[in-house]
Amino acid sequence: MLKATGIVRKVDDLGRVVIPIELRRTLGVDTLEIFVQGESIVLRKYAPGCTFCDNVEVAKVIHDKRVCKNCIALLNG
């Protein structure tokens, strides 16, 4: 569900938009993912997923690789 912030920003000549520091700090955002949904551009806090299936619910980090429960079960046979 979308929550209005009342913040409006212009896109500059290079296509950049400034996200206010208050929002970045509150949400702990330093990296964003960009999606398109119909006529909307959606920015989401980046959360890297499973190395094998991109599931964002990662259970373990093994040798710097993020792995979800399903893939752990498949790897364990």
Side-chain angles (χ1 to χ4, degrees), residues 26-70:
T26 300
L27 298 174
V29 173
D30 61 357
T31 307
L32 294 170
E33 258 184 299
I34 303 170
F35 298 90
V36 175
Q37 184 176 19
E39 292 289 316
S40 298
I41 298 171
V42 179
L43 302 176
R44 185 173 73 185
K45 181 178 177 179
Y46 178 65
C50 175
T51 299
F52 301 105
C53 72
D54 287 330
N55 182 345
V56 294
E57 294 181 25
V58 172
K60 278 188 172 182
V61 177
I62 305 169
H63 298 288
D64 297 325
K65 305 293 182 197
R66 300 167 64 86
V67 186
C68 71
K69 288 181 182 180
N70 292 338

Side-chain angles (χ1 to χ4, degrees), residues 71-77:
C71 289
I72 289 172
L74 287 172
L75 291 168
N76 288 331

Side-chain angles (χ1 to χ4, degrees), residues 14-33:
L14 296 176
R16 298 175 296 196
V17 177
V18 175
I19 299 170
I21 189 94
E22 301 84 23
L23 285 177
R24 296 192 323 260
R25 284 183 180 157
T26 300
L27 298 174
V29 173
D30 61 357
T31 307
L32 294 170
E33 258 184 299

